[in-house]
Amino acid sequence: MPVEFIGLIRTKPVSELDGPPGTISDNIIDPAYVREFAQAHEQGDFDRVLIGYNSSSPDGFGVASYAASWTEKLGFLIAHRPGFVAPTLAARKAATLDHFTGGRIAIHIITGGNDADQQRDGDWLDHDNRYRRTDEYLNIIKQIWTSDIPFDWEGKFYQVKKAFSDVKPLQKPHIPIYFGGASKAAVPIGAKHANVYAMWGEPIAAIKQRIAEVKAALPPGKTIRFSVSLRPILGTTEEKAWERAKDILERVVELRGGQKVTSSARPQAVGSQRLLDFAAQGEVYDKRLWTPIAAATGAAGNTTALVGTPEQVAEALVDYYDAGVTTLLIRGFNPLQDAIDYGREVIPLVRAEIARREHHTVSVA
């Protein structure tokens, strides 16, 4: 299966090298930067870019709409938390944008693993009930996207009567759904609804285990793809790549007052907990998966890195492909320049190697 590359765009130039969450104002929008950032990904042969979500970030639908107006083929993966926009309205918003972008959007469902961030938006449900709500939410959204007749829904979290939308997605049968969640409550919901199940950058053995767990939860006859998110750190030599990685770590720790996250500050999100556990057990896995930045930041997001030359990083990414991953989300600590470098130095190598393997498979068959 062809590999899909996803980057990440924000509305101003910022990363962990500018300070920890809470000290960076992320709601400042620089339109020129968004335009340049999106175009860099398109020119770098990325398939999509993720537009993230938290309780204080700019609206992802608006960001996608603006960035799409400055690009021609780049896709947009819009992170979306169920529970704050009615599912009927969310379905119409997404279907409308799908038409105006020429079928270039996908929705990344982030149910939410942090109570405090949920509560800033007025959500007081506990973790497992949030996933139960997500199940209902996606049931309704997919019916709105596909139903030719009005329908009723009577659930625990939503009740609608004669629900219907005149606007249907341009993409058929519906807009692709990506899904993130590492907890036991997340797996059956993601397996049921997602086209792509997203994971953070764990060691390959752990990724294989998680893929098996999700596949075991799939409804009969359903197929699903898998994504892994990683932070490549490149150098012209392996030595220079590791020097750069250590410089990044020193800067991250310095901006946090010289303190790494302690066990008392352990995050609620299971995905973050998993990254911290791997970091506690070792700094390097599978030759170049590097965990110390996850440890330094409390694994607030995808914070495990692949360190090496472009050829070495490409080889490591292909290893994830061999493990069953067909979507690779890569973003850097110097976001714009790293995206340019990935497009020039890494993505062509990975695509060429996978195309070579596909050609060999066809030839053998």
Side-chain angles (χ1 to χ4, degrees), residues 33-355:
Y33 179 73
V34 174
R35 180 174 68 248
E36 182 182 14
F37 209 2
Q39 290 173 341
H41 281 88
E42 182 163 80
Q43 293 162 9
D45 198 27
F46 283 82
D47 297 284
R48 303 184 188 274
V49 287
L50 172 66
I51 300 169
Y53 182 106
N54 63 53
S55 62
S56 63
S57 62
D59 172 64
F61 286 89
V63 175
S65 179
Y66 178 78
S69 72
W70 290 99
T71 54
E72 295 180 357
K73 63 179 182 178
L74 184 67
F76 298 92
L77 179 57
I78 304 168
H80 182 72
R81 276 188 192 165
F84 307 109
V85 177
T88 50
L89 175 57
R92 298 198 306 275
K93 283 165 61 73
T96 302
L97 187 56
D98 198 40
H99 280 270
F100 279 113
T101 61
R104 288 194 279 151
I105 72 163
I107 303 298
H108 188 29
I109 297 296
I110 306 293
T111 296
N114 182 290
D115 289 346
D117 202 53
Q118 298 290 128
Q119 290 163 9
R120 292 186 189 103
D121 271 333
D123 183 19
W124 296 86
L125 287 181
D126 62 36
H127 176 275
D128 287 3
N129 271 314
R130 291 199 290 266
Y131 277 99
R132 296 185 186 103
R133 179 179 61 191
T134 292
D135 184 26
E136 283 193 29
Y137 194 89
L138 290 175
N139 276 322
I140 295 170
I141 279 184
K142 289 196 290 187
Q143 280 190 256
I144 288 287
W145 282 343
T146 59
S147 179
D148 293 328
I149 59 174
F151 67 90
D152 298 341
W153 179 272
E154 188 70 31
K156 178 179 178 181
F157 303 98
Y158 298 101
Q159 299 82 40
V160 299
K161 191 172 182 64
K162 304 293 184 185
F164 183 74
S165 173
D166 287 326
V167 57
K168 306 297 184 187
L170 184 62
Q171 299 176 80
K172 304 300 180 187
H174 58 68
I175 294 166
I177 294 173
Y178 292 60
F179 185 97
S183 67
K184 290 182 179 179
V187 169
I189 309 304
K192 175 182 176 181
H193 291 289
N195 301 104
V196 180
Y197 204 109
M199 303 171 286
W200 284 343
E202 299 181 0
I204 288 174
I207 291 295
K208 289 181 177 179
Q209 181 180 12
R210 291 200 59 201
I211 288 174
E213 290 171 355
V214 173
K215 285 186 173 180
L218 288 173
K222 185 177 186 294
T223 60
I224 195 168
R225 294 180 290 123
F226 294 92
S227 169
V228 165
S229 301
L230 296 152
R231 308 289 293 273
I233 299 174
L234 305 179
T236 54
T237 66
E238 185 172 13
E239 181 181 10
K240 289 183 178 179
W242 284 109
E243 288 176 0
R244 183 184 172 206
K246 291 172 184 176
D247 287 344
I248 290 171
L249 177 62
E250 288 178 5
R251 173 66 175 164
V252 168
V253 172
E254 177 188 356
L255 288 169
R256 284 156 176 76
Q259 299 295 319
K260 295 185 179 182
V261 173
T262 64
S263 58
S264 62
R266 191 170 174 82
Q268 288 182 303
V270 174
S272 297
Q273 293 174 14
R274 289 176 62 92
L275 292 189
L276 289 178
D277 289 342
F278 286 119
Q281 295 164 24
E283 289 194 358
V284 180
Y285 292 82
D286 306 322
K287 295 182 181 178
R288 58 195 70 264
L289 179 69
W290 193 56
T291 65
I293 293 176
T297 60
N302 59 312
T303 42
T304 47
L306 291 177
V307 183
T309 66
E311 294 79 10
Q312 290 171 329
V313 168
E315 180 182 30
L317 290 171
V318 172
D319 288 342
Y320 281 97
Y321 178 87
D322 289 340
V325 172
T326 57
T327 292
L328 298 166
L329 193 158
I330 54 174
R331 66 184 182 104
F333 293 96
N334 183 357
L336 177 55
Q337 186 58 53
D338 283 342
I340 294 170
D341 291 342
Y342 300 157
R344 182 175 58 240
E345 300 178 5
V346 176
I347 291 177
L349 295 176
V350 176
R351 291 200 191 279
E353 174 59 20
I354 291 172

